[in-house]
Amino acid sequence: EELDLRQAVLDLIESCSTQASGLSLSEVCRDKVVDQACTALLPLEVPLRTWLECRVGGEVEVSRDERGGFAVRMRLSEADSAMPREEARERFFAELPEDRFTADEERLRSSLLDFLDAWRGREQPTLSHAGGDSQVRRNRALVLPKGV
């Protein structure tokens, strides 16, 4: 459950990565996948902000924004700041085998197909829906490095 909440927050931040200032904490709390993971893990007396600071503070930064609210953003590592995002993507894809999937890619593919087989929603499934599936999130984290 803790890994699910961590991954939901990281996925949300990455999906909105064009916002240099990060996301407001209230936006993060309103996200359906994050809210479900919070409900499953956190007692009512533990706010998401406290959990983020204590449990994923090395990856996620929570700080005051210009309006006095809280903003959530990825913490930049030395490697992230030294290598532009596009260069990291190019390197990632260049290192993949050309004629087959890696074992982790096979697991991600399988979890996506399982998700699609089990889908019972009224609308067509989207990547956001798939990102709400814990197996898809876990396998995605194994395959795709941050920023790719």
Side-chain angles (χ1 to χ4, degrees):
E1 292 175 340
E2 189 170 43
L3 288 176
D4 290 341
L5 178 54
R6 176 189 165 274
Q7 195 61 52
V9 170
L10 295 178
D11 288 346
L12 179 63
I13 293 170
E14 280 187 17
S15 72
C16 301
S17 62
T18 58
Q19 300 179 24
S21 61
L23 295 169
S24 72
L25 182 59
S26 61
E27 287 176 288
V28 174
C29 290
R30 284 192 307 263
D31 179 79
K32 181 181 173 185
V33 176
V34 171
D35 181 55
Q36 289 173 344
C38 278
T39 301
L41 175 68
L42 300 179
L44 291 176
E45 63 272 7
V46 177
L48 177 61
R49 179 176 64 88
T50 302
W51 182 84
L52 288 169
E53 290 170 337
C54 294
R55 301 297 294 166
V56 290
E59 298 171 280
V60 173
E61 177 182 4
V62 180
S63 59
R64 291 272 182 192
D65 63 19
E66 62 278 354
R67 295 176 308 229
F70 289 99
V72 181
R73 69 182 64 78
M74 295 300 293
R75 197 177 286 279
L76 289 179
S77 69
E78 290 178 28
D80 289 337
S81 57
M83 184 186 318
R85 190 177 194 129
E86 189 59 37
E87 188 178 321
R89 284 184 182 146
E90 292 296 323
R91 188 182 75 216
F92 169 76
F93 286 110
E95 291 173 356
L96 289 174
E98 292 182 23
D99 59 343
R100 62 182 169 77
F101 288 132
T102 65
D104 288 337
E105 286 176 307
E106 287 287 354
R107 283 189 284 277
L108 176 58
R109 179 181 180 277
S110 179
S111 64
L112 282 165
L113 292 173
D114 291 346
F115 164 78
L116 291 171
D117 286 342
W119 179 254
R120 298 292 176 251
R122 293 179 190 198
E123 70 276 358
Q124 293 292 317
T126 65
L127 287 175
S128 293
H129 292 124
D133 182 86
S134 61
Q135 283 302 108
V136 171
R137 276 199 316 272
R138 282 188 186 103
N139 289 315
R140 179 183 178 270
L142 294 173
V143 172
L144 296 174
K146 290 179 193 159
V148 173

